[in-house]
PDB file of all heavy atoms in Angstrom:
ATOM      1  N   ALA M 142     -29.117  72.885 -35.557  1.00 92.00           N
ATOM      2  CA  ALA M 142     -29.028  74.415 -35.588  1.00 92.00           C
ATOM      3  C   ALA M 142     -28.270  74.898 -34.429  1.00 92.00           C
ATOM      4  O   ALA M 142     -27.399  75.721 -34.551  1.00 92.00           O
ATOM      5  CB  ALA M 142     -30.429  74.983 -35.657  1.00 92.00           C
ATOM      6  N   GLY M 143     -28.660  74.500 -33.179  1.00 94.00           N
ATOM      7  CA  GLY M 143     -28.016  74.957 -32.014  1.00 94.00           C
ATOM      8  C   GLY M 143     -26.578  74.532 -31.940  1.00 94.00           C
ATOM      9  O   GLY M 143     -25.658  75.341 -31.489  1.00 94.00           O
ATOM     10  N   GLY M 144     -26.306  73.292 -32.353  1.00 95.00           N
ATOM     11  CA  GLY M 144     -24.950  72.792 -32.211  1.00 95.00           C
ATOM     12  C   GLY M 144     -23.974  73.451 -33.168  1.00 95.00           C
ATOM     13  O   GLY M 144     -22.874  73.828 -32.749  1.00 95.00           O
ATOM     14  N   PHE M 145     -24.394  73.632 -34.452  1.00 95.00           N
ATOM     15  CA  PHE M 145     -23.455  74.356 -35.383  1.00 95.00           C
ATOM     16  C   PHE M 145     -23.228  75.727 -35.053  1.00 95.00           C
ATOM     17  O   PHE M 145     -22.065  76.256 -35.154  1.00 95.00           O
ATOM     18  CB  PHE M 145     -24.029  74.216 -36.806  1.00 95.00           C
ATOM     19  CG  PHE M 145     -23.942  72.804 -37.434  1.00 95.00           C
ATOM     20  CD1 PHE M 145     -24.912  72.215 -38.090  1.00 95.00           C
ATOM     21  CD2 PHE M 145     -22.710  72.017 -37.202  1.00 95.00           C
ATOM     22  CE1 PHE M 145     -24.805  70.990 -38.671  1.00 95.00           C
ATOM     23  CE2 PHE M 145     -22.609  70.804 -37.739  1.00 95.00           C
ATOM     24  CZ  PHE M 145     -23.607  70.251 -38.451  1.00 95.00           C
ATOM     25  N   CYS M 146     -24.251  76.400 -34.470  1.00 96.00           N
ATOM     26  CA  CYS M 146     -24.132  77.795 -34.035  1.00 96.00           C
ATOM     27  C   CYS M 146     -23.178  77.910 -32.886  1.00 96.00           C
ATOM     28  O   CYS M 146     -22.245  78.758 -32.879  1.00 96.00           O
ATOM     29  CB  CYS M 146     -25.461  78.384 -33.669  1.00 96.00           C
ATOM     30  SG  CYS M 146     -25.394  80.159 -33.330  1.00 96.00           S
ATOM     31  N   ALA M 147     -23.289  76.986 -31.939  1.00 96.00           N
ATOM     32  CA  ALA M 147     -22.345  77.038 -30.764  1.00 96.00           C
ATOM     33  C   ALA M 147     -20.887  76.662 -31.211  1.00 96.00           C
ATOM     34  O   ALA M 147     -20.014  77.323 -30.639  1.00 96.00           O
ATOM     35  CB  ALA M 147     -22.887  76.028 -29.755  1.00 96.00           C
ATOM     36  N   LEU M 148     -20.779  75.750 -32.117  1.00 96.00           N
ATOM     37  CA  LEU M 148     -19.450  75.415 -32.627  1.00 96.00           C
ATOM     38  C   LEU M 148     -18.821  76.638 -33.317  1.00 96.00           C
ATOM     39  O   LEU M 148     -17.635  76.915 -33.153  1.00 96.00           O
ATOM     40  CB  LEU M 148     -19.478  74.237 -33.555  1.00 96.00           C
ATOM     41  CG  LEU M 148     -19.776  72.801 -32.988  1.00 96.00           C
ATOM     42  CD1 LEU M 148     -19.973  71.842 -34.063  1.00 96.00           C
ATOM     43  CD2 LEU M 148     -18.552  72.501 -32.053  1.00 96.00           C
ATOM     44  N   TRP M 149     -19.557  77.345 -34.122  1.00 95.00           N
ATOM     45  CA  TRP M 149     -19.108  78.555 -34.734  1.00 95.00           C
ATOM     46  C   TRP M 149     -18.621  79.569 -33.686  1.00 95.00           C
ATOM     47  O   TRP M 149     -17.560  80.197 -33.815  1.00 95.00           O
ATOM     48  CB  TRP M 149     -20.127  79.121 -35.718  1.00 95.00           C
ATOM     49  CG  TRP M 149     -19.930  80.494 -36.119  1.00 95.00           C
ATOM     50  CD1 TRP M 149     -18.742  81.045 -36.677  1.00 95.00           C
ATOM     51  CD2 TRP M 149     -20.827  81.583 -36.048  1.00 95.00           C
ATOM     52  NE1 TRP M 149     -18.887  82.367 -37.010  1.00 95.00           N
ATOM     53  CE2 TRP M 149     -20.181  82.781 -36.628  1.00 95.00           C
ATOM     54  CE3 TRP M 149     -22.125  81.767 -35.613  1.00 95.00           C
ATOM     55  CZ2 TRP M 149     -20.763  83.939 -36.686  1.00 95.00           C
ATOM     56  CZ3 TRP M 149     -22.723  83.013 -35.717  1.00 95.00           C
ATOM     57  CH2 TRP M 149     -22.081  84.137 -36.247  1.00 95.00           C
ATOM     58  N   LEU M 150     -19.416  79.786 -32.701  1.00 96.00           N
ATOM     59  CA  LEU M 150     -19.129  80.787 -31.688  1.00 96.00           C
ATOM     60  C   LEU M 150     -17.905  80.403 -30.871  1.00 96.00           C
ATOM     61  O   LEU M 150     -17.052  81.198 -30.522  1.00 96.00           O
ATOM     62  CB  LEU M 150     -20.278  81.064 -30.728  1.00 96.00           C
ATOM     63  CG  LEU M 150     -21.536  81.675 -31.430  1.00 96.00           C
ATOM     64  CD1 LEU M 150     -22.715  81.737 -30.443  1.00 96.00           C
ATOM     65  CD2 LEU M 150     -21.205  83.074 -31.986  1.00 96.00           C
ATOM     66  N   ARG M 151     -17.731  79.076 -30.672  1.00 95.00           N
ATOM     67  CA  ARG M 151     -16.559  78.634 -29.940  1.00 95.00           C
ATOM     68  C   ARG M 151     -15.343  78.791 -30.782  1.00 95.00           C
ATOM     69  O   ARG M 151     -14.235  79.104 -30.277  1.00 95.00           O
ATOM     70  CB  ARG M 151     -16.694  77.142 -29.549  1.00 95.00           C
ATOM     71  CG  ARG M 151     -17.686  76.863 -28.352  1.00 95.00           C
ATOM     72  CD  ARG M 151     -17.163  77.433 -27.098  1.00 95.00           C
ATOM     73  NE  ARG M 151     -15.974  76.520 -26.580  1.00 95.00           N
ATOM     74  CZ  ARG M 151     -15.166  76.991 -25.698  1.00 95.00           C
ATOM     75  NH1 ARG M 151     -15.311  78.183 -25.162  1.00 95.00           N
ATOM     76  NH2 ARG M 151     -14.206  76.181 -25.241  1.00 95.00           N
ATOM     77  N   GLU M 152     -15.487  78.706 -32.061  1.00 93.00           N
ATOM     78  CA  GLU M 152     -14.358  78.825 -32.979  1.00 93.00           C
ATOM     79  C   GLU M 152     -13.841  80.327 -32.963  1.00 93.00           C
ATOM     80  O   GLU M 152     -12.767  80.687 -33.265  1.00 93.00           O
ATOM     81  CB  GLU M 152     -14.704  78.434 -34.385  1.00 93.00           C
ATOM     82  CG  GLU M 152     -13.502  78.177 -35.293  1.00 93.00           C
ATOM     83  CD  GLU M 152     -12.746  76.983 -34.804  1.00 93.00           C
ATOM     84  OE1 GLU M 152     -13.257  76.021 -34.172  1.00 93.00           O
ATOM     85  OE2 GLU M 152     -11.472  76.959 -35.166  1.00 93.00           O
ATOM     86  N   LEU M 153     -14.823  81.230 -32.622  1.00 92.00           N
ATOM     87  CA  LEU M 153     -14.444  82.653 -32.486  1.00 92.00           C
ATOM     88  C   LEU M 153     -13.970  82.992 -31.115  1.00 92.00           C
ATOM     89  O   LEU M 153     -13.867  84.184 -30.729  1.00 92.00           O
ATOM     90  CB  LEU M 153     -15.747  83.489 -32.741  1.00 92.00           C
ATOM     91  CG  LEU M 153     -16.346  83.481 -34.205  1.00 92.00           C
ATOM     92  CD1 LEU M 153     -17.667  84.183 -34.274  1.00 92.00           C
ATOM     93  CD2 LEU M 153     -15.356  84.030 -35.171  1.00 92.00           C
ATOM     94  N   ARG M 154     -13.642  81.919 -30.297  1.00 93.00           N
ATOM     95  CA  ARG M 154     -13.141  82.153 -28.945  1.00 93.00           C
ATOM     96  C   ARG M 154     -14.131  82.655 -27.990  1.00 93.00           C
ATOM     97  O   ARG M 154     -13.808  83.305 -26.982  1.00 93.00           O
ATOM     98  CB  ARG M 154     -11.842  82.992 -28.983  1.00 93.00           C
ATOM     99  CG  ARG M 154     -10.839  82.517 -30.004  1.00 93.00           C
ATOM    100  CD  ARG M 154      -9.897  81.545 -29.545  1.00 93.00           C
ATOM    101  NE  ARG M 154      -9.089  80.954 -30.532  1.00 93.00           N
ATOM    102  CZ  ARG M 154      -8.042  81.536 -31.068  1.00 93.00           C
ATOM    103  NH1 ARG M 154      -7.642  82.724 -30.710  1.00 93.00           N
ATOM    104  NH2 ARG M 154      -7.295  80.845 -31.974  1.00 93.00           N
ATOM    105  N   VAL M 155     -15.389  82.574 -28.279  1.00 94.00           N
ATOM    106  CA  VAL M 155     -16.479  82.904 -27.255  1.00 94.00           C
ATOM    107  C   VAL M 155     -16.461  81.961 -26.178  1.00 94.00           C
ATOM    108  O   VAL M 155     -16.237  80.678 -26.385  1.00 94.00           O
ATOM    109  CB  VAL M 155     -17.840  83.071 -28.009  1.00 94.00           C
ATOM    110  CG1 VAL M 155     -18.966  83.275 -26.984  1.00 94.00           C
ATOM    111  CG2 VAL M 155     -17.819  84.177 -29.071  1.00 94.00           C
ATOM    112  N   ARG M 156     -16.748  82.338 -24.955  1.00 95.00           N
ATOM    113  CA  ARG M 156     -16.762  81.443 -23.825  1.00 95.00           C
ATOM    114  C   ARG M 156     -17.808  80.410 -24.012  1.00 95.00           C
ATOM    115  O   ARG M 156     -18.875  80.626 -24.611  1.00 95.00           O
ATOM    116  CB  ARG M 156     -16.951  82.231 -22.560  1.00 95.00           C
ATOM    117  CG  ARG M 156     -15.760  83.087 -22.186  1.00 95.00           C
ATOM    118  CD  ARG M 156     -15.974  83.769 -20.865  1.00 95.00           C
ATOM    119  NE  ARG M 156     -14.852  84.567 -20.427  1.00 95.00           N
ATOM    120  CZ  ARG M 156     -14.817  85.256 -19.304  1.00 95.00           C
ATOM    121  NH1 ARG M 156     -15.822  85.309 -18.395  1.00 95.00           N
ATOM    122  NH2 ARG M 156     -13.694  85.907 -19.058  1.00 95.00           N
ATOM    123  N   ARG M 157     -17.594  79.249 -23.343  1.00 94.00           N
ATOM    124  CA  ARG M 157     -18.536  78.095 -23.563  1.00 94.00           C
ATOM    125  C   ARG M 157     -20.001  78.421 -23.237  1.00 94.00           C
ATOM    126  O   ARG M 157     -20.879  78.186 -24.020  1.00 94.00           O
ATOM    127  CB  ARG M 157     -18.074  76.884 -22.699  1.00 94.00           C
ATOM    128  CG  ARG M 157     -18.817  75.588 -23.009  1.00 94.00           C
ATOM    129  CD  ARG M 157     -18.337  74.515 -22.107  1.00 94.00           C
ATOM    130  NE  ARG M 157     -16.883  74.363 -22.176  1.00 94.00           N
ATOM    131  CZ  ARG M 157     -16.288  73.612 -23.084  1.00 94.00           C
ATOM    132  NH1 ARG M 157     -16.982  72.991 -24.045  1.00 94.00           N
ATOM    133  NH2 ARG M 157     -14.939  73.476 -23.066  1.00 94.00           N
ATOM    134  N   GLY M 158     -20.160  79.081 -22.117  1.00 95.00           N
ATOM    135  CA  GLY M 158     -21.575  79.340 -21.664  1.00 95.00           C
ATOM    136  C   GLY M 158     -22.243  80.257 -22.666  1.00 95.00           C
ATOM    137  O   GLY M 158     -23.445  80.168 -23.028  1.00 95.00           O
ATOM    138  N   ALA M 159     -21.536  81.325 -23.137  1.00 96.00           N
ATOM    139  CA  ALA M 159     -22.122  82.283 -24.110  1.00 96.00           C
ATOM    140  C   ALA M 159     -22.309  81.566 -25.439  1.00 96.00           C
ATOM    141  O   ALA M 159     -23.332  81.862 -26.036  1.00 96.00           O
ATOM    142  CB  ALA M 159     -21.166  83.455 -24.280  1.00 96.00           C
ATOM    143  N   ALA M 160     -21.404  80.741 -25.802  1.00 95.00           N
ATOM    144  CA  ALA M 160     -21.645  79.956 -27.074  1.00 95.00           C
ATOM    145  C   ALA M 160     -22.908  79.105 -27.039  1.00 95.00           C
ATOM    146  O   ALA M 160     -23.697  78.980 -27.980  1.00 95.00           O
ATOM    147  CB  ALA M 160     -20.408  79.134 -27.406  1.00 95.00           C
ATOM    148  N   LEU M 161     -23.049  78.465 -25.887  1.00 96.00           N
ATOM    149  CA  LEU M 161     -24.247  77.571 -25.687  1.00 96.00           C
ATOM    150  C   LEU M 161     -25.561  78.484 -25.748  1.00 96.00           C
ATOM    151  O   LEU M 161     -26.565  78.021 -26.315  1.00 96.00           O
ATOM    152  CB  LEU M 161     -24.162  76.817 -24.408  1.00 96.00           C
ATOM    153  CG  LEU M 161     -23.128  75.674 -24.320  1.00 96.00           C
ATOM    154  CD1 LEU M 161     -23.046  75.071 -22.936  1.00 96.00           C
ATOM    155  CD2 LEU M 161     -23.496  74.613 -25.349  1.00 96.00           C
ATOM    156  N   ALA M 162     -25.387  79.581 -25.126  1.00 96.00           N
ATOM    157  CA  ALA M 162     -26.636  80.532 -25.121  1.00 96.00           C
ATOM    158  C   ALA M 162     -26.921  81.042 -26.553  1.00 96.00           C
ATOM    159  O   ALA M 162     -28.058  81.143 -26.903  1.00 96.00           O
ATOM    160  CB  ALA M 162     -26.349  81.677 -24.174  1.00 96.00           C
ATOM    161  N   GLY M 163     -25.869  81.255 -27.281  1.00 95.00           N
ATOM    162  CA  GLY M 163     -26.008  81.721 -28.712  1.00 95.00           C
ATOM    163  C   GLY M 163     -26.683  80.640 -29.469  1.00 95.00           C
ATOM    164  O   GLY M 163     -27.610  80.950 -30.299  1.00 95.00           O
ATOM    165  N   GLY M 164     -26.280  79.410 -29.348  1.00 94.00           N
ATOM    166  CA  GLY M 164     -26.877  78.301 -30.062  1.00 94.00           C
ATOM    167  C   GLY M 164     -28.360  78.092 -29.648  1.00 94.00           C
ATOM    168  O   GLY M 164     -29.182  77.848 -30.453  1.00 94.00           O
ATOM    169  N   LEU M 165     -28.668  78.367 -28.439  1.00 93.00           N
ATOM    170  CA  LEU M 165     -30.012  78.159 -27.913  1.00 93.00           C
ATOM    171  C   LEU M 165     -30.868  79.255 -28.568  1.00 93.00           C
ATOM    172  O   LEU M 165     -32.002  78.970 -28.947  1.00 93.00           O
ATOM    173  CB  LEU M 165     -30.015  78.287 -26.368  1.00 93.00           C
ATOM    174  CG  LEU M 165     -31.359  77.902 -25.728  1.00 93.00           C
ATOM    175  CD1 LEU M 165     -31.683  76.445 -25.873  1.00 93.00           C
ATOM    176  CD2 LEU M 165     -31.207  78.257 -24.208  1.00 93.00           C
ATOM    177  N   ALA M 166     -30.418  80.471 -28.607  1.00 94.00           N
ATOM    178  CA  ALA M 166     -31.166  81.550 -29.255  1.00 94.00           C
ATOM    179  C   ALA M 166     -31.406  81.253 -30.686  1.00 94.00           C
ATOM    180  O   ALA M 166     -32.514  81.562 -31.157  1.00 94.00           O
ATOM    181  CB  ALA M 166     -30.453  82.924 -29.047  1.00 94.00           C
ATOM    182  N   PHE M 167     -30.405  80.676 -31.386  1.00 92.00           N
ATOM    183  CA  PHE M 167     -30.657  80.478 -32.866  1.00 92.00           C
ATOM    184  C   PHE M 167     -31.627  79.325 -33.036  1.00 92.00           C
ATOM    185  O   PHE M 167     -32.510  79.471 -33.945  1.00 92.00           O
ATOM    186  CB  PHE M 167     -29.269  80.116 -33.432  1.00 92.00           C
ATOM    187  CG  PHE M 167     -29.302  79.902 -34.931  1.00 92.00           C
ATOM    188  CD1 PHE M 167     -29.657  80.880 -35.745  1.00 92.00           C
ATOM    189  CD2 PHE M 167     -29.159  78.561 -35.451  1.00 92.00           C
ATOM    190  CE1 PHE M 167     -29.700  80.635 -37.141  1.00 92.00           C
ATOM    191  CE2 PHE M 167     -29.278  78.335 -36.777  1.00 92.00           C
ATOM    192  CZ  PHE M 167     -29.509  79.427 -37.651  1.00 92.00           C
ATOM    193  N   CYS M 168     -31.426  78.211 -32.307  1.00 90.00           N
ATOM    194  CA  CYS M 168     -32.398  77.072 -32.521  1.00 90.00           C
ATOM    195  C   CYS M 168     -33.831  77.315 -32.161  1.00 90.00           C
ATOM    196  O   CYS M 168     -34.729  76.603 -32.701  1.00 90.00           O
ATOM    197  CB  CYS M 168     -31.831  75.817 -31.946  1.00 90.00           C
ATOM    198  SG  CYS M 168     -32.108  75.581 -30.092  1.00 90.00           S
ATOM    199  N   LEU M 169     -33.995  78.262 -31.153  1.00 90.00           N
ATOM    200  CA  LEU M 169     -35.379  78.588 -30.753  1.00 90.00           C
ATOM    201  C   LEU M 169     -35.827  79.836 -31.378  1.00 90.00           C
ATOM    202  O   LEU M 169     -36.916  80.283 -31.005  1.00 90.00           O
ATOM    203  CB  LEU M 169     -35.417  78.744 -29.182  1.00 90.00           C
ATOM    204  CG  LEU M 169     -35.290  77.437 -28.425  1.00 90.00           C
ATOM    205  CD1 LEU M 169     -35.349  77.737 -26.886  1.00 90.00           C
ATOM    206  CD2 LEU M 169     -36.349  76.477 -28.765  1.00 90.00           C
ATOM    207  N   ALA M 170     -35.162  80.439 -32.338  1.00 88.00           N
ATOM    208  CA  ALA M 170     -35.675  81.576 -33.071  1.00 88.00           C
ATOM    209  C   ALA M 170     -37.023  81.264 -33.688  1.00 88.00           C
ATOM    210  O   ALA M 170     -37.222  80.196 -34.155  1.00 88.00           O
ATOM    211  CB  ALA M 170     -34.665  81.950 -34.166  1.00 88.00           C
ATOM    212  N   PRO M 171     -38.001  82.202 -33.586  1.00 86.00           N
ATOM    213  CA  PRO M 171     -39.288  81.961 -34.135  1.00 86.00           C
ATOM    214  C   PRO M 171     -39.274  81.504 -35.624  1.00 86.00           C
ATOM    215  O   PRO M 171     -40.094  80.593 -35.984  1.00 86.00           O
ATOM    216  CB  PRO M 171     -40.098  83.315 -33.949  1.00 86.00           C
ATOM    217  CG  PRO M 171     -39.342  83.903 -32.871  1.00 86.00           C
ATOM    218  CD  PRO M 171     -37.911  83.542 -32.886  1.00 86.00           C
ATOM    219  N   TYR M 172     -38.335  81.992 -36.366  1.00 81.00           N
ATOM    220  CA  TYR M 172     -38.254  81.664 -37.814  1.00 81.00           C
ATOM    221  C   TYR M 172     -38.000  80.140 -37.893  1.00 81.00           C
ATOM    222  O   TYR M 172     -38.667  79.422 -38.634  1.00 81.00           O
ATOM    223  CB  TYR M 172     -37.152  82.461 -38.455  1.00 81.00           C
ATOM    224  CG  TYR M 172     -36.861  82.054 -39.901  1.00 81.00           C
ATOM    225  CD1 TYR M 172     -37.542  82.509 -40.950  1.00 81.00           C
ATOM    226  CD2 TYR M 172     -35.790  81.098 -40.141  1.00 81.00           C
ATOM    227  CE1 TYR M 172     -37.262  82.051 -42.231  1.00 81.00           C
ATOM    228  CE2 TYR M 172     -35.502  80.740 -41.405  1.00 81.00           C
ATOM    229  CZ  TYR M 172     -36.265  81.215 -42.483  1.00 81.00           C
ATOM    230  OH  TYR M 172     -35.868  80.819 -43.762  1.00 81.00           O
ATOM    231  N   LEU M 173     -37.011  79.658 -37.226  1.00 79.00           N
ATOM    232  CA  LEU M 173     -36.564  78.262 -37.342  1.00 79.00           C
ATOM    233  C   LEU M 173     -37.596  77.320 -36.743  1.00 79.00           C
ATOM    234  O   LEU M 173     -38.011  76.371 -37.321  1.00 79.00           O
ATOM    235  CB  LEU M 173     -35.177  78.047 -36.752  1.00 79.00           C
ATOM    236  CG  LEU M 173     -34.512  76.720 -37.050  1.00 79.00           C
ATOM    237  CD1 LEU M 173     -32.932  76.917 -37.126  1.00 79.00           C
ATOM    238  CD2 LEU M 173     -34.815  75.685 -35.935  1.00 79.00           C
ATOM    239  N   ALA M 174     -38.007  77.678 -35.480  1.00 79.00           N
ATOM    240  CA  ALA M 174     -39.025  76.822 -34.803  1.00 79.00           C
ATOM    241  C   ALA M 174     -40.293  76.740 -35.538  1.00 79.00           C
ATOM    242  O   ALA M 174     -40.982  75.754 -35.714  1.00 79.00           O
ATOM    243  CB  ALA M 174     -39.223  77.343 -33.395  1.00 79.00           C
ATOM    244  N   GLY M 175     -40.765  77.897 -36.112  1.00 76.00           N
ATOM    245  CA  GLY M 175     -41.956  77.878 -36.860  1.00 76.00           C
ATOM    246  C   GLY M 175     -41.858  77.069 -38.172  1.00 76.00           C
ATOM    247  O   GLY M 175     -42.904  76.370 -38.477  1.00 76.00           O
ATOM    248  N   GLN M 176     -40.758  77.062 -38.834  1.00 75.00           N
ATOM    249  CA  GLN M 176     -40.667  76.302 -40.054  1.00 75.00           C
ATOM    250  C   GLN M 176     -40.578  74.791 -39.745  1.00 75.00           C
ATOM    251  O   GLN M 176     -41.083  74.001 -40.506  1.00 75.00           O
ATOM    252  CB  GLN M 176     -39.289  76.687 -40.775  1.00 75.00           C
ATOM    253  CG  GLN M 176     -39.292  78.136 -41.281  1.00 75.00           C
ATOM    254  CD  GLN M 176     -40.179  78.450 -42.430  1.00 75.00           C
ATOM    255  OE1 GLN M 176     -40.711  77.461 -43.081  1.00 75.00           O
ATOM    256  NE2 GLN M 176     -40.486  79.672 -42.626  1.00 75.00           N
ATOM    257  N   ALA M 177     -39.904  74.472 -38.585  1.00 71.00           N
ATOM    258  CA  ALA M 177     -39.920  72.984 -38.204  1.00 71.00           C
ATOM    259  C   ALA M 177     -41.308  72.542 -37.894  1.00 71.00           C
ATOM    260  O   ALA M 177     -41.673  71.472 -38.262  1.00 71.00           O
ATOM    261  CB  ALA M 177     -38.969  72.853 -37.037  1.00 71.00           C
ATOM    262  N   SER M 178     -41.999  73.341 -37.163  1.00 68.00           N
ATOM    263  CA  SER M 178     -43.421  73.027 -36.771  1.00 68.00           C
ATOM    264  C   SER M 178     -44.265  72.809 -37.985  1.00 68.00           C
ATOM    265  O   SER M 178     -45.259  72.043 -37.991  1.00 68.00           O
ATOM    266  CB  SER M 178     -43.977  73.981 -35.820  1.00 68.00           C
ATOM    267  OG  SER M 178     -43.246  74.060 -34.600  1.00 68.00           O
ATOM    268  N   ALA M 179     -44.040  73.642 -38.981  1.00 66.00           N
ATOM    269  CA  ALA M 179     -44.872  73.515 -40.228  1.00 66.00           C
ATOM    270  C   ALA M 179     -44.393  72.437 -41.206  1.00 66.00           C
ATOM    271  O   ALA M 179     -45.078  72.167 -42.170  1.00 66.00           O
ATOM    272  CB  ALA M 179     -44.872  74.841 -41.010  1.00 66.00           C
ATOM    273  N   GLY M 180     -43.264  71.844 -40.877  1.00 69.00           N
ATOM    274  CA  GLY M 180     -42.728  70.763 -41.748  1.00 69.00           C
ATOM    275  C   GLY M 180     -41.994  71.231 -42.941  1.00 69.00           C
ATOM    276  O   GLY M 180     -41.975  70.559 -44.078  1.00 69.00           O
ATOM    277  N   HIS M 181     -41.501  72.458 -42.935  1.00 76.00           N
ATOM    278  CA  HIS M 181     -40.738  73.054 -44.068  1.00 76.00           C
ATOM    279  C   HIS M 181     -39.247  72.737 -43.943  1.00 76.00           C
ATOM    280  O   HIS M 181     -38.650  72.861 -42.878  1.00 76.00           O
ATOM    281  CB  HIS M 181     -40.966  74.530 -44.114  1.00 76.00           C
ATOM    282  CG  HIS M 181     -42.314  74.975 -44.284  1.00 76.00           C
ATOM    283  ND1 HIS M 181     -42.803  76.241 -44.016  1.00 76.00           N
ATOM    284  CD2 HIS M 181     -43.407  74.342 -44.809  1.00 76.00           C
ATOM    285  CE1 HIS M 181     -44.041  76.342 -44.278  1.00 76.00           C
ATOM    286  NE2 HIS M 181     -44.470  75.158 -44.792  1.00 76.00           N
ATOM    287  N   LEU M 182     -38.638  72.333 -45.131  1.00 78.00           N
ATOM    288  CA  LEU M 182     -37.185  72.097 -45.075  1.00 78.00           C
ATOM    289  C   LEU M 182     -36.341  73.250 -44.713  1.00 78.00           C
ATOM    290  O   LEU M 182     -35.163  73.065 -44.375  1.00 78.00           O
ATOM    291  CB  LEU M 182     -36.809  71.513 -46.502  1.00 78.00           C
ATOM    292  CG  LEU M 182     -36.994  70.048 -46.756  1.00 78.00           C
ATOM    293  CD1 LEU M 182     -36.768  69.755 -48.234  1.00 78.00           C
ATOM    294  CD2 LEU M 182     -36.109  69.204 -45.897  1.00 78.00           C
ATOM    295  N   LEU M 183     -36.839  74.498 -44.723  1.00 80.00           N
ATOM    296  CA  LEU M 183     -36.135  75.612 -44.279  1.00 80.00           C
ATOM    297  C   LEU M 183     -35.599  75.443 -42.904  1.00 80.00           C
ATOM    298  O   LEU M 183     -34.447  76.000 -42.595  1.00 80.00           O
ATOM    299  CB  LEU M 183     -37.084  76.817 -44.391  1.00 80.00           C
ATOM    300  CG  LEU M 183     -37.037  77.618 -45.693  1.00 80.00           C
ATOM    301  CD1 LEU M 183     -38.158  78.710 -45.629  1.00 80.00           C
ATOM    302  CD2 LEU M 183     -35.739  78.241 -45.978  1.00 80.00           C
ATOM    303  N   ALA M 184     -36.248  74.777 -42.046  1.00 80.00           N
ATOM    304  CA  ALA M 184     -35.820  74.594 -40.653  1.00 80.00           C
ATOM    305  C   ALA M 184     -34.446  73.856 -40.638  1.00 80.00           C
ATOM    306  O   ALA M 184     -33.631  74.147 -39.810  1.00 80.00           O
ATOM    307  CB  ALA M 184     -36.859  73.837 -39.804  1.00 80.00           C
ATOM    308  N   TRP M 185     -34.365  72.892 -41.513  1.00 86.00           N
ATOM    309  CA  TRP M 185     -33.093  72.094 -41.513  1.00 86.00           C
ATOM    310  C   TRP M 185     -32.053  72.784 -42.360  1.00 86.00           C
ATOM    311  O   TRP M 185     -30.849  72.817 -42.040  1.00 86.00           O
ATOM    312  CB  TRP M 185     -33.407  70.608 -42.055  1.00 86.00           C
ATOM    313  CG  TRP M 185     -34.264  69.859 -41.144  1.00 86.00           C
ATOM    314  CD1 TRP M 185     -33.874  69.064 -40.169  1.00 86.00           C
ATOM    315  CD2 TRP M 185     -35.697  69.856 -41.062  1.00 86.00           C
ATOM    316  NE1 TRP M 185     -34.879  68.538 -39.424  1.00 86.00           N
ATOM    317  CE2 TRP M 185     -36.076  68.996 -40.058  1.00 86.00           C
ATOM    318  CE3 TRP M 185     -36.667  70.528 -41.823  1.00 86.00           C
ATOM    319  CZ2 TRP M 185     -37.382  68.712 -39.697  1.00 86.00           C
ATOM    320  CZ3 TRP M 185     -38.002  70.244 -41.502  1.00 86.00           C
ATOM    321  CH2 TRP M 185     -38.357  69.384 -40.407  1.00 86.00           C
ATOM    322  N   VAL M 186     -32.422  73.369 -43.494  1.00 89.00           N
ATOM    323  CA  VAL M 186     -31.485  74.065 -44.355  1.00 89.00           C
ATOM    324  C   VAL M 186     -30.853  75.233 -43.628  1.00 89.00           C
ATOM    325  O   VAL M 186     -29.651  75.602 -43.848  1.00 89.00           O
ATOM    326  CB  VAL M 186     -32.175  74.419 -45.641  1.00 89.00           C
ATOM    327  CG1 VAL M 186     -31.198  75.259 -46.537  1.00 89.00           C
ATOM    328  CG2 VAL M 186     -32.645  73.202 -46.394  1.00 89.00           C
TER     329      VAL M 186
END
């Protein structure tokens, strides 16, 4: 989740640090983290 989000932001010419931060925000979003903790495929999808 974090890696693909960062790659997308980098493709938009976002600076590396900001892209890494964006990926971090996405992979730690309560929605995604909660689904992973519950064992739901939504976290991976």
Side-chain angles (χ1 to χ4, degrees):
F145 286 138
C146 186
L148 286 173
W149 165 50
L150 294 174
R151 285 292 288 165
E152 200 65 28
L153 293 175
R154 310 273 171 76
V155 174
R156 292 184 177 180
R157 188 183 306 276
L161 290 174
L165 190 63
F167 182 70
C168 78
L169 288 179
Y172 172 84
L173 192 146
Q176 296 292 342
S178 298
H181 296 160
L182 275 172
L183 271 172
W185 293 269
V186 175

